[in-house]
Amino acid sequence: MSGPSDYQPSNPALQWIERRLPIMGLVHSSFVAYPTPRNLNYWWTFGAILSFMLGMQILTGVILAMHYTPHADLAFKSVELIVRDVNFGWLLRNMHAVGASMFFFAVYVHMLRGLYYGSYKEPREVLWILGVIIYLLMMATGFMGYVLPWGQMSFWGATVITNLFSAIPYFGESIVTLLWGGYSVGNPTLNRFFSLHYLLPFLIAGVVVLHVWALHVAGQNNPDGVEPKTEKDTVPFTPHATIKDGFGVACFLLLYAWFIFYMPNYLGDADNYIPANPGVTPPHIVPEWYYLPFYAILRSIPNKLAGVIAMFSAIIVLVFLPWLDAAKTRSSKYRPLAKQFFWIFVVVCILLGYLGAQPPEGIYVIAGRVLTVCYFAYFLIVLPLLSRIETPRPVPNSISEAILTRGGKAVASVMVALVAAGALFLGSLQDARASEGNDRPPGNHWSFAGPFGKFDRGALQRGLKVYKEVCANCHGLSFIAFRNLGDPGGPGYSVAQAAAFASEYKIKDGPNDAGDMFERPGRPADYFPSPFPNEQAARVANGGAAPPDLSLITKARSYGRGFPWFIFDFFTQYQEQGPDYVSAVLQGFEDKVPEGVTIPEGSYYNKYFPGHAIKMPKPLSDGQVTYDDGSPTTVAQYSKDVTTFLMWTAEPHMEARKRLGFQVFVFLIIFAFLMYFTKKKVWRDSH
């Protein structure tokens, strides 16, 4: 259904090309003169948003792949080096990681819009099926991408999900072995997933082209569900739909930038900042939020094979939706019962997402089974039944005659519901991954918190001193080079001071010309040395527990703040749970063990540590480290200072990120206003 094109290039060179390859005419007929229903609302802009996000994911992914190393021993480190050492690597990583969540958020809105307005009905069945195929490819691509950082949740998520294929009779074990490239998740698995994660987005782009082609053949659906009959029912795609989509994309970019620059870890998992360890299973293995409803369906069925079938059927059933819903009226706007059941279905999906983040026990399992039945009943019972018994309201004869109700309040209420649903997802995720201790770490006022937060240079320098004199005896700092101490946004040392600090360390180097290893003074390019030659030596020296590297400790630790704090955190941009936890643990040692608590021999009681039994003895005491600036030499001050320093080691580009974020927000707000007023002017005559 491409529009009539009278495109005739004036340039002789373009005329020559157009006679032999009329690509400009095709573009003109498909994206300029293409007739668009004049009653499309803002829910239709999510198609343009998805196209934009796909382009962003491919672009950032290709650049990240240039620096990524798909090897089990190097993948985790390569990701951190991208963030720390590649120019604007932190921005690329945040755009790609946050972009995955934004992509799925947009596709869920796009799919729900299609469900509500009946965009799957004749003659758009192929269009809908292609959309479901895109969604399946997105899920596979997102899962494989989540594995690539090779953190704890990446590794164990890959282990759990790939193991599901073992439930397939006869061929299951062979499929799992093929996916793994061996008999456990390892380096061959990582290479396979990296290759597929790189290739699948281009396959998605190809199916998207087919999706758009099918859209242009069948024509766009609209909120009233009636086909355009005259030219009064449509407007040219450009500039009307183009400018409206541009405004929608600009508004969406504000949400996208909110996470990129101010809350990059809000949508992630703290465990993924811990290098993959096949010998340590995380307490709660939970997938990303956009898989949670299907994860809940999987876990609600006790039989493994039946659970896998149910999980995949929950997606495949969408393919048959055009035939399950035989109602002649497309839009739920004119179907009172269908509208009510649609919103019930949305609530069911949100609750399934919540249950997917909870431990599979007790009432959560029962509720999961009930909601799973409700999910399938909507497609297999409710929609077929409604098509037979429901009496719809009269549908307008044409778009031009339709009385378009004002949807501002409805749109606002739906957006509030979507934000609340997202907060429920993320809050439940935080609860599932919360510390198992009974005492929740208290919140702190950090200088680096908030959109304009900065590191306290004095605290950074004092924290470095505490680390050097206390923490460095057991804990390494492997991702920080001495030169970083002189970087902008860091402790504020000069290049000469950083070099002098490095020279105080002895670095093992070699071999020399004689083939021997030797020690030399540290250089600015050297990284902080580990106090132990290997992990086994660290375990022997610390009662069997290897002290963790502290480079990422403030991002690798977190706790659940619970309801309603996780909602407030979204709007206040509070994401300092990691520093709160680290500071609390340093101050949480108590000599007297409370009644009813048993601490194993060789362990110490800490009221904030999960399980309360920690192998590390109390590291800090009043007066232990001397401060030259006159700051209090107390455990509380030491804890806050060293935690501030460790936050900088985990986020060395934090100040640059927030500074650039402010500039981007100012630009996007101005751009969105310009797009809005341009849209109002373009659409003034059309309405």
Side-chain angles (χ1 to χ4, degrees):
M1 190 180 167
S2 294
S5 176
D6 55 358
Y7 176 77
Q8 291 293 333
S10 57
N11 186 284
L14 293 179
Q15 291 177 357
W16 184 87
I17 295 174
E18 190 68 17
R19 287 196 300 270
R20 292 156 178 80
L21 183 65
I23 190 168
M24 298 302 294
L26 175 64
V27 171
H28 185 270
S29 64
S30 300
F31 300 104
V32 177
Y34 174 68
T36 304
R38 68 172 62 238
N39 62 337
L40 297 186
N41 55 36
Y42 281 108
W43 297 120
W44 263 261
T45 64
F46 278 88
I49 290 170
L50 284 167
S51 299
F52 175 83
M53 289 306 304
L54 176 61
M56 291 300 298
Q57 290 300 95
I58 291 176
L59 178 62
T60 56
V62 168
I63 299 174
L64 288 171
M66 297 175 184
H67 303 277
Y68 177 74
T69 305
H71 190 282
D73 297 332
L74 303 172
F76 185 87
K77 186 174 183 179
S78 74
V79 172
E80 278 305 309
L81 291 179
I82 288 172
V83 172
R84 296 168 186 270
D85 295 338
V86 174
N87 288 334
F88 291 98
W90 59 268
L91 178 60
L92 290 169
R93 170 83 195 286
N94 289 353
M95 290 176 67
H96 198 72
V98 172
S101 288
M102 294 296 100
F103 203 177
F104 274 95
F105 170 74
V107 85
Y108 283 136
V109 174
H110 193 63
M111 292 169 68
L112 289 173
R113 186 268 294 168
L115 281 171
Y116 184 83
Y117 291 115
S119 297
Y120 50 85
K121 292 180 178 291
E122 184 185 5
R124 300 177 179 88
E125 299 93 334
V126 173
L127 174 67
W128 175 261
I129 293 171
L130 287 170
V132 176
I133 293 173
I134 292 171
Y135 177 58
L136 284 168
L137 291 172
M138 281 180 59
M139 295 190 78
T141 306
F143 165 65
M144 292 173 185
Y146 189 59
V147 174
L148 299 187
W150 211 240
Q152 271 289 76
M153 199 58 67
S154 294
F155 177 86
W156 288 100
T159 301
V160 170
I161 299 302
T162 52
N163 254 314
L164 296 177
F165 290 95
S166 65
I168 301 174
Y170 304 111
F171 308 107
E173 294 295 337
S174 299
I175 294 174
V176 172
T177 303
L178 178 64
L179 287 172
W180 286 351
Y183 298 100
S184 64
V185 173
N187 193 59
T189 317
L190 182 60
N191 274 275
R192 282 163 166 73
F193 282 17
F194 173 66
S195 298
L196 292 172
H197 182 70
Y198 190 93
L199 291 173
L200 283 179
F202 297 100
L203 180 58
I204 291 174
V207 182
V208 166
V209 171
L210 295 178
H211 188 66
V212 174
W213 188 3
L215 173 68
H216 282 68
V217 170
Q220 285 181 294
N221 189 30
N222 59 81
D224 293 292
V226 295
E227 297 295 334
K229 295 180 174 63
T230 65
E231 291 185 0
K232 293 182 179 181
D233 295 337
T234 62
V235 291
F237 186 85
T238 300
H240 294 79
T242 305
I243 199 68
K244 193 171 186 176
D245 288 347
F247 173 64
V249 170
C251 292
F252 187 82
L253 285 177
L254 288 168
L255 177 66
Y256 187 28
W258 179 278
F259 286 105
I260 290 174
F261 294 105
Y262 297 124
M263 306 185 72
N265 300 311
Y266 190 77
L267 299 172
D269 191 299
D271 280 348
N272 236 22
Y273 285 104
I274 304 172
N277 187 346
V280 179
T281 306
H284 303 286
I285 301 175
V286 183
E288 290 290 83
W289 68 268
Y290 35 83
Y291 298 132
L292 288 176
F294 306 105
Y295 192 59
I297 292 173
L298 168 72
R299 297 191 310 179
S300 67
I301 300 176
N303 181 273
K304 185 176 180 180
L305 177 60
V308 172
I309 293 174
M311 180 181 70
F312 284 106
S313 297
I315 304 172
I316 300 301
V317 70
L318 295 171
V319 173
F320 301 97
L321 191 55
W323 297 277
L324 292 172
D325 182 10
K328 300 299 182 182
T329 302
R330 291 196 184 101
S331 177
S332 294
K333 182 178 178 180
Y334 300 101
R335 301 176 61 190
L337 289 178
K339 180 189 296 185
Q340 294 179 27
F341 279 106
F342 170 82
W343 290 113
I344 292 173
F345 172 74
V346 172
V347 172
V348 166
C349 292
I350 292 172
L351 292 177
L352 279 172
Y354 171 78
L355 294 175
Q358 305 307 313
E361 57 191 27
I363 188 64
Y364 296 129
V365 174
I366 297 173
R369 291 171 182 171
V370 172
L371 292 175
T372 297
V373 171
C374 293
Y375 179 93
F376 284 103
Y378 176 75
F379 294 107
L380 303 178
I381 299 175
V382 173
L383 289 180
L385 190 61
L386 286 179
S387 63
R388 295 177 178 272
I389 67 172
E390 184 180 28
T391 303
R393 289 165 38 211
V395 178
N397 292 323
S398 66
I399 294 175
S400 59
E401 295 178 5
I403 301 174
L404 303 178
T405 58
R406 294 183 179 180
K409 294 182 179 179
V411 169
S413 62
V414 171
M415 291 306 295
V416 170
L418 289 172
V419 171
L424 180 63
F425 270 139
L426 299 166
S428 63
L429 217 57
Q430 290 178 354
D431 290 340
R433 298 160 179 164
S435 168
E436 295 177 4
N438 295 326
D439 294 286
R440 180 170 294 165
N444 293 273
H445 295 287
W446 301 102
S447 65
F448 49 80
F452 304 105
K454 294 183 177 181
F455 288 114
D456 182 337
R457 304 291 176 238
L460 288 178
Q461 294 180 11
R462 293 192 301 269
L464 173 58
K465 189 171 186 180
V466 174
Y467 168 78
K468 182 181 178 181
E469 296 185 16
V470 180
C471 308
N473 295 322
C474 297
H475 299 274
L477 209 61
S478 60
F479 290 110
I480 295 296
F482 294 115
R483 60 177 169 79
N484 297 135
L485 299 177
D487 290 345
Y493 291 118
S494 66
V495 175
Q497 287 174 316
F501 187 92
S503 65
E504 298 175 7
Y505 284 79
K506 294 295 182 181
I507 305 297
K508 192 172 184 179
D509 202 349
N512 57 19
D513 293 341
D516 299 323
M517 303 299 290
F518 62 93
E519 287 189 344
R520 59 167 175 79
R523 302 166 184 162
D526 293 324
Y527 286 78
F528 277 73
S530 173
F532 302 102
N534 52 60
E535 182 178 331
Q536 186 59 32
R539 291 186 181 278
V540 171
N542 291 275
D549 185 272
L550 296 184
S551 302
L552 292 163
I553 195 70
T554 54
K555 292 203 295 188
R557 300 292 185 269
S558 187
Y559 66 95
R561 283 162 60 83
F563 183 85
W565 293 109
F566 61 82
I567 297 178
F568 296 149
D569 290 346
F570 172 80
F571 293 103
T572 61
Q573 301 178 357
Y574 189 84
Q575 56 172 354
E576 281 68 46
Q577 292 91 336
D580 286 345
Y581 173 83
V582 172
S583 179
V585 167
L586 290 174
Q587 301 176 68
F589 289 87
E590 295 182 1
D591 296 330
K592 185 178 180 180
V593 180
E595 294 183 8
V597 178
T598 302
I599 300 299
E601 185 178 353
S603 298
Y604 304 87
Y605 177 79
N606 189 300
K607 65 178 181 179
Y608 296 116
F609 189 77
H612 299 308
I614 186 172
K615 288 286 186 180
M616 179 177 68
K618 184 178 180 180
L620 300 172
S621 58
D622 292 345
Q624 184 176 358
V625 179
T626 302
Y627 284 158
D628 299 330
D629 61 359
S631 297
T633 55
T634 61
V635 171
Q637 188 66 44
Y638 294 152
S639 301
K640 189 169 185 179
D641 290 341
V642 76
T643 301
T644 300
F645 172 71
L646 294 176
M647 186 62 196
W648 170 77
T649 66
E651 286 271 3
H653 298 293
M654 188 197 72
E655 291 186 3
R657 167 168 59 80
K658 293 182 178 180
R659 185 167 56 249
L660 180 60
F662 177 74
Q663 297 169 357
V664 170
F665 256 83
V666 171
F667 170 78
L668 287 177
I669 290 171
I670 295 174
F671 179 70
F673 271 106
L674 291 175
M675 293 296 290
Y676 174 75
F677 288 115
T678 305
K679 180 198 74 71
K680 292 283 288 184
K681 184 176 181 180
V682 168
W683 279 87
R684 184 180 298 131
D685 296 333
S686 299
H687 286 309

